[in-house]
Amino acid sequence: MRPDQFADRSIFQFPDGSKIQNDHVDLSWQPHELFGLLFFEIMRSPSGKTALTSVARRIKASDALAPMAKQRSGSLEDQRDLINEIAGPFMGTDARRGRVYTWVPLHLSDARNACSPRTFLTAWQKASEHQPVPGDRAVDHLGLIEGVRKASSTRLAELREDYRWIDEALAALKGQFVPIERGELLRIWADSKVVQGILREANAGGWLAPVQLADDNNTEALLDAMNSIAVTEERANGKINVPDIFRVEAGIKRRGGVAVPRRT
């Protein structure tokens, strides 16, 4: 069940519905689990296994490659050290641009800080294909930035399958900078008649608009729908942010963030 469906309490308004809620299993992945999956996938290739185990032994980080159940207390440090050896420690020349080990899962996560395994692996695969190939490691920060762009494209395409209306909501924000004032965001949607467009296309196409949209002028309800699927987040200062995993492909800008790719 999607998180937005689970968050809709009306779905569970039946006898013993609370038991289903209480017994749910959260399938979100933690960063160390995602890196463990990355190592697992590399180890599936004979050449990858040879190279990775050799590097791990050389830097005394072999615990990072052990099954999760057999890892010891220092395994996360070993995991971080191994990633630093593969991709370098920083997303640039120093720590000012962020550390690879924390930067990558952060920039691939939605507004609930959740990153899907497919998204994570897509980013690293794209990073490994980036040219020119770095001379002293498997990937570099330029490849990882390109990997985030590719993952953003893939993740947004996946989102469209479940939420046909997402393009209409994001298209109006193309070229805007986030975080953006809440009132400014709602004004842009109102001026662009985004809600009316969503309802019109939903009626014509036979698909469901967000359940929150009870009338054709309620931009607040559209924001609630965007928040419910973790495409937007409301910060403590009242501004609205769009995480990189959606922002980049949608052409929404952020100062200091991953640059939006130029379209030819």
Side-chain angles (χ1 to χ4, degrees):
M1 177 177 286
R2 298 193 311 255
D4 62 300
Q5 293 174 324
F6 185 78
D8 185 356
R9 294 297 181 254
S10 64
I11 293 177
F12 299 97
Q13 298 302 311
F14 57 87
D16 292 333
S18 61
K19 294 179 180 178
I20 294 178
Q21 287 180 284
N22 295 336
D23 292 338
H24 82 280
V25 176
D26 187 354
L27 299 181
S28 60
W29 287 60
Q30 298 301 311
H32 71 276
E33 295 170 327
L34 293 167
F35 283 113
L37 175 64
L38 174 65
F39 294 154
F40 172 79
E41 290 295 332
I42 294 174
M43 296 278 281
R44 292 178 63 188
S45 162
S47 59
K49 181 177 182 178
T50 299
L52 191 60
T53 53
S54 175
V55 172
R57 283 196 299 267
R58 176 167 56 81
I59 65 172
K60 297 180 173 56
S62 295
D63 272 0
L65 303 182
M68 296 296 291
K70 296 182 179 180
Q71 291 187 1
R72 297 178 292 185
S73 59
S75 296
L76 292 185
E77 287 76 12
D78 283 357
Q79 190 182 76
R80 180 201 59 210
D81 292 344
L82 189 51
I83 287 295
N84 290 349
E85 197 69 16
I86 292 172
F90 308 124
M91 289 299 298
T93 57
D94 54 43
R96 287 178 296 179
R97 300 294 295 179
R99 297 181 180 273
V100 170
Y101 188 68
T102 52
W103 188 95
V104 174
L106 175 65
H107 287 261
L108 293 174
S109 296
D110 63 18
R112 294 192 185 93
N113 295 317
C115 174
S116 75
R118 185 186 300 108
T119 296
F120 193 78
L121 293 178
T122 295
W124 282 92
Q125 181 182 32
K126 186 65 176 179
S128 71
E129 299 169 353
H130 183 72
Q131 299 291 331
V133 177
D136 57 346
R137 55 182 62 101
V139 300
D140 61 10
H141 68 282
L142 297 175
L144 288 170
I145 290 172
E146 189 60 32
V148 169
R149 293 191 181 113
K150 174 62 177 177
S152 178
S153 175
T154 302
R155 185 70 189 95
L156 202 52
E158 293 172 348
L159 199 68
R160 292 186 188 106
E161 295 178 2
D162 292 326
Y163 309 103
R164 299 274 297 273
W165 51 269
I166 196 68
D167 280 337
E168 189 91 20
L170 291 175
L173 302 178
K174 185 175 182 179
Q176 299 293 327
F177 282 90
V178 292
I180 186 172
E181 294 287 350
R182 179 191 181 94
E184 177 66 6
L185 170 62
L186 298 180
R187 183 195 64 76
I188 291 171
W189 278 344
D191 290 349
S192 301
K193 301 185 183 305
V194 170
V195 173
Q196 295 93 321
I198 289 174
L199 294 175
R200 183 174 59 253
E201 291 188 17
N203 290 332
W207 45 267
L208 294 177
V211 295
Q212 293 89 342
L213 297 186
D215 63 67
D216 62 3
N217 292 306
N218 197 342
T219 53
E220 290 274 2
L222 178 57
L223 181 57
D224 288 343
M226 296 279 279
N227 288 338
S228 75
I229 61 174
V231 174
T232 55
E233 59 178 338
E234 300 195 50
R235 295 189 166 180
N237 62 4
K239 291 188 175 182
I240 308 300
N241 187 46
V242 179
D244 280 2
I245 192 60
F246 308 117
R247 175 188 67 78
V248 174
E249 177 62 17
I252 302 170
K253 301 177 182 179
R254 186 178 190 276
R255 291 182 176 86
V258 175
V260 173
R262 293 182 179 181
R263 306 298 187 188
T264 56

